[in-house]
Amino acid sequence: MAQQADTKALGIAHQGGKFHYALVQGQPDGGVSVLHQGLVAHLDGLRNPLESRGAPMASVAAIGIACARLGDALAPIAPGVPVLVIDTLQAHLLAASANPACLANPLVALVATDTLTTLVRVDAPGHCAALGRSLGAAAGNVFDARAEQLGMDLPGGAALARLADFGDADGDRMPEPEVDAASLDFSFAPLRMAALRRARELEGSPCEQPRADLAASVQQAVAGQLARQALKALQRTGSTQLALCGKVANNATLRAALQGHCHLVTPLPGTSRAIRLAQAAYVLQACQPRPTSVRPRAR
C-alpha cells in the first residue's frame, strides 16, 4: 500500500496571474529540500530555474507557503516579496474564489478532505463564516479507512470509487447521521464504525462482490450526507453556487447528487496543493486592504 509523502507546498504567484509551484519536503536534520517540476534541487536554487522559464523574481506578486519556517529561507531569494503563510482551509477557499467559473459572491464552499469537512459561506476573499463542520471523523477519513483496510493506495477515495462501480449501493444498510435535522454539521463516525464492522465480517471471504457492495454503500452514504447538507446550506444562505474543495470533491457520486441543483464550482484539473497556495497568495495580495484573516468565525 502506497503511503502519502510528508510534503509541504510552496506557491509562487506572478503579476500576470501565472502560477508556479514547488513541493517542499522536511528532512530529518530539520532542513528543507525542494522539487520544482524536477528543475530545483534545493531552495537556494529556486531563482535561476524560475528566470530560465521566463518568470523572473522581479515579477513575483506574492509567495504562498504552508510551512512557516520557509519564510526565513525565502527572504534572501525574493527580497520585498510578500510571503504569506496560508493554512489548508484558507488555500481551498481562496483558490475557489480565484476560479474563473466562480460567479459573484456570496458562495457556499464545501471543503472535504481526509482531515477536514466543513461548510463555509464566503462573502468576499478573506471574509467568511462557518456554517457546519464534521462532528468527529472527516469524510475523506471514512474513504481512507476503508481503502486501507482493503490494502488500497491512499488517499483512498479514488480507489474506493473504482471498487464501488462494481457494487450495489443498497447492498449494506448504513446508519443515519447523528445530527439534528436543522443542523448543518456532519456526522461520519457512526458510518465509519458500521463500515469497519461489516468489513471485518467479510475478511477471509473469497467473494469480491460483498466488498464492492460495501464500497458502494459507504460511498453513497458519504456523498448523500455531503450533498444534503450542502444543498441545505445553499437554501439557508440564499446562494446559488457551491464550490467543492478537497479530494472528496472529485467523487462522481457526490457531483451527480449536486448537479442541476446549483451552479457547481469544482477544482480545475491539475490543481495541486501548491497551485492552490499560489492562487490564494495572489488573491490575498490583490485585496486592498488585505484581510486580516480568512478563518471561519466561530459559531
Side-chain angles (χ1 to χ4, degrees):
M1 179 181 62
Q3 297 296 319
Q4 301 181 67
D6 180 22
T7 57
K8 302 297 182 183
L10 170 77
I12 302 170
H14 293 272
Q15 302 288 355
K18 284 188 175 182
F19 303 118
H20 296 274
Y21 69 92
L23 297 179
V24 182
Q25 184 168 4
Q27 301 297 308
D29 61 359
V32 292
S33 64
V34 177
L35 305 175
H36 188 285
Q37 297 179 340
L39 299 178
V40 181
H42 300 286
L43 188 58
D44 289 339
L46 185 59
R47 182 198 303 270
N48 291 336
L50 281 175
E51 293 184 345
S52 69
R53 299 177 64 193
M57 294 303 289
S59 73
V60 173
I63 297 176
I65 58 176
C67 179
R69 65 194 178 102
L70 289 179
D72 292 339
L74 282 168
I77 297 175
V81 176
V83 178
L84 310 175
V85 181
I86 302 171
D87 65 27
T88 299
L89 182 56
Q90 288 177 314
H92 278 300
L93 296 179
L94 288 167
S97 296
N99 191 325
C102 184
L103 304 177
N105 290 316
L107 67 84
V108 171
L110 170 62
V111 184
T113 71
D114 57 338
T115 59
L116 178 70
T117 304
T118 186
L119 280 165
V120 181
R121 175 189 168 117
V122 181
D123 292 300
H127 300 278
C128 56
L131 300 173
R133 61 185 178 84
S134 179
L135 305 176
N141 179 259
V142 178
F143 289 153
D144 285 352
R146 296 289 61 73
E148 186 172 24
Q149 192 173 32
L150 294 172
M152 297 176 174
D153 290 346
L154 296 180
L160 204 70
R162 288 193 294 271
L163 180 59
D165 286 342
F166 299 95
D168 177 6
D170 296 322
D172 287 289
R173 185 176 180 82
M174 295 291 112
E176 293 295 320
E178 295 179 349
V179 293
D180 185 271
S183 173
L184 292 177
D185 289 334
F186 302 92
S187 173
F188 296 108
L191 167 63
R192 188 178 186 276
M193 291 305 299
L196 176 62
R197 287 193 296 269
R198 177 58 178 153
R200 285 174 176 167
E201 293 173 1
L202 297 176
E203 287 180 357
S205 171
C207 183
E208 193 67 15
Q209 188 60 51
R211 295 185 181 87
D213 291 345
L214 176 59
S217 298
V218 169
Q219 178 178 247
Q220 182 64 46
V222 171
Q225 186 179 166
L226 290 173
R228 286 193 303 273
Q229 298 300 78
L231 293 175
K232 194 189 302 181
L234 288 173
Q235 184 178 31
R236 194 165 298 180
T237 60
S239 177
T240 59
Q241 61 178 334
L242 176 71
L244 290 183
C245 310
K247 292 188 182 300
V248 177
N250 296 322
N251 186 273
T253 299
L254 171 61
R255 292 163 78 141
L258 294 167
Q259 207 73 44
H261 296 284
C262 59
H263 175 69
L264 205 55
V265 179
T266 56
L268 297 173
T271 303
S272 67
R273 182 184 180 193
I275 291 295
R276 287 196 301 272
L277 282 171
Q279 292 172 332
Y282 190 76
V283 172
L284 277 179
Q285 188 60 21
C287 292
Q288 296 294 336
R290 182 182 158 196
T292 55
S293 174
V294 294
R295 292 178 181 274
R297 295 188 294 270
R299 293 179 300 164

